[in-house]
Amino acid sequence: EDKVVQSPLSLVVHEGDTVTLNCSYEVTNFRSLLWYKQEKKAPTFLFMLTSSGIEKKSGRLSSILDKKELFSILNITATQTGDSAIYLCAGGATSGTYKYIFGTGTRLKVLA
Amino acid sequence: GAGVSQSPRYKVAKRGQDVALRCDPISGHVSLFWYQQALGQGPEFLTYFQNEAQLDKSGLPSDRFFAERPEGSVSTLKIQRTQQEDSAVYLCASRIRRDTEAFFGQGTRLTVV
C-alpha cells in the first residue's frame, strides 16, 4: 500500500532557527513529491519536485528530493512566527489519476 | 475564478441528515479532487474527476458518499444519512493538467452532532 511518512510530527523552535522537515515515501509508479503549508484549513502549494538532487528554493524555504533513498526534505532558514503551520508532504504517481498520497504532516511552531 | 472556492465554510448537521458540499474549481482546470481531513491527520483521498468523468472513487468510505461534476466545472460532494465519524474538513483541489500541482480550496468543516 502506498504511504508517505513525515517526521518529526511536531517541532517547536525560536525565531531565527533553521529547521529541517523530513518526508519518506513509498508510492507505486512515483512521479512527483509535493510540499504544502497548511494554516487554518487551506493547504497552500510550496514546491513540486520530480528530479533527484535538484534543489528548489523560494525565499527562506528550500527542498530537495532523493529518488534513490525515497525521501525529501524541506528546509526553512531564519524562521519567523509566520512560518508556524502544518507542513504537508504528498507523493504523486504516474499511473491512473495521478492522485496525491499525503503524510500526516509536521506541525511547526515558531516562538518569538 | 482566482482560486478554488468551497461552500459552505462550516456545516453542522444532525446525525441522519443529508448534506451537500460545493466546490468551484479554478477556471479551466481539468482535474478535480475531493479529500477528507480528520483532526490531526493529513488529507485522505476521496475521489477524482477529469472534466465531468469520475475516474476514481476508490476513496469514498461508503455508499453514503456520492460526488458529481456534471458539466466539468462545479462539483458537489453529497453525504447521505450523516454519521458522527463523517465529521471532518472536506477539501477540494483542482489542477490544470495531470502532471501539475493542485490548488486547494478553504475547505468545508462538517460537524455531525
Side-chain angles (χ1 to χ4, degrees), chain A residues 48-85:
Chain A
M48 181 174 181
L49 304 148
T50 56
S51 299
S52 231
I54 299 174
E55 185 182 54
K56 289 206 172 183
K57 278 181 74 74
S58 176
R60 295 176 296 101
L61 278 65
S62 64
S63 184
I64 197 160
L65 175 67
D66 185 328
K67 291 168 79 172
K68 183 179 174 188
E69 300 296 333
L70 307 184
F71 79 90
S72 173
I73 60 172
L74 175 69
N75 278 318
I76 309 174
T77 59
T79 51
Q80 303 171 356
T81 55
D83 295 328
S84 297

Side-chain angles (χ1 to χ4, degrees), chain B residues 2-108:
Chain B
V4 178
S5 177
Q6 291 187 245
S7 61
R9 296 284 300 276
Y10 302 91
K11 176 71 180 177
V12 178
K14 289 187 178 178
R15 197 167 56 147
Q17 190 178 354
D18 296 350
V19 298
L21 312 180
R22 176 188 167 106
C23 173
D24 213 324
I26 295 172
S27 179
H29 279 200
V30 165
S31 300
L32 185 146
F33 296 88
W34 284 98
Y35 281 83
Q36 179 191 59
Q37 188 174 24
L39 195 63
Q41 300 298 313
E44 294 277 346
F45 171 79
L46 292 177
T47 188
Y48 167 78
F49 290 87
Q50 186 166 299
N51 295 307
E52 69 279 1
Q54 188 176 21
L55 299 186
D56 188 342
K57 52 183 182 178
S58 62
L60 296 177
S62 77
D63 58 9
R64 295 185 297 103
F65 286 72
F66 171 78
E68 59 183 5
R69 193 186 184 198
E71 295 176 2
S73 179
V74 171
S75 176
T76 304
L77 176 67
K78 297 179 179 177
I79 309 173
Q80 296 177 321
R81 304 181 304 281
T82 51
Q83 299 178 4
Q84 241 173 342
E85 63 260 31
D86 300 335
S87 296
V89 174
Y90 290 85
L91 294 165
C92 175
S94 70
R95 67 186 179 196
I96 196 160
R97 290 193 317 269
R98 288 174 71 195
D99 59 345
T100 58
E101 67 274 19
F103 295 91
F104 282 82
Q106 291 283 333
T108 294

Side-chain angles (χ1 to χ4, degrees), chain A:
Chain A
E1 185 181 332
D2 292 344
K3 65 179 179 182
V4 173
V5 178
Q6 293 186 244
S7 64
L9 291 182
S10 66
L11 194 54
V12 180
V13 301
H14 288 92
E15 267 192 322
D17 288 350
T18 292
V19 297
T20 297
L21 309 183
N22 303 294
C23 174
S24 65
Y25 63 89
E26 292 177 30
V27 174
T28 308
N29 298 315
F30 173 81
R31 159 72 179 169
S32 56
L33 192 292
L34 295 91
W35 285 96
Y36 287 85
K37 177 182 182 182
Q38 188 173 30
E39 300 168 278
K40 298 185 181 177
K41 288 194 289 187
T44 53
F45 173 74
L46 295 175
F47 297 111
M48 181 174 181
L49 304 148
T50 56
S51 299
S52 231
I54 299 174
E55 185 182 54
K56 289 206 172 183
K57 278 181 74 74
S58 176
R60 295 176 296 101
L61 278 65
S62 64
S63 184
I64 197 160
L65 175 67
D66 185 328
K67 291 168 79 172
K68 183 179 174 188
E69 300 296 333
L70 307 184
F71 79 90
S72 173
I73 60 172
L74 175 69
N75 278 318
I76 309 174
T77 59
T79 51
Q80 303 171 356
T81 55
D83 295 328
S84 297
I86 296 171
Y87 290 84
L88 295 166
C89 165
T94 57
S95 59
T97 58
Y98 281 52
K99 68 188 178 191
Y100 307 123
I101 309 296
F102 280 86
T104 306
T106 293
R107 183 180 295 272
L108 173 65
K109 187 169 179 66
V110 182
L111 303 175

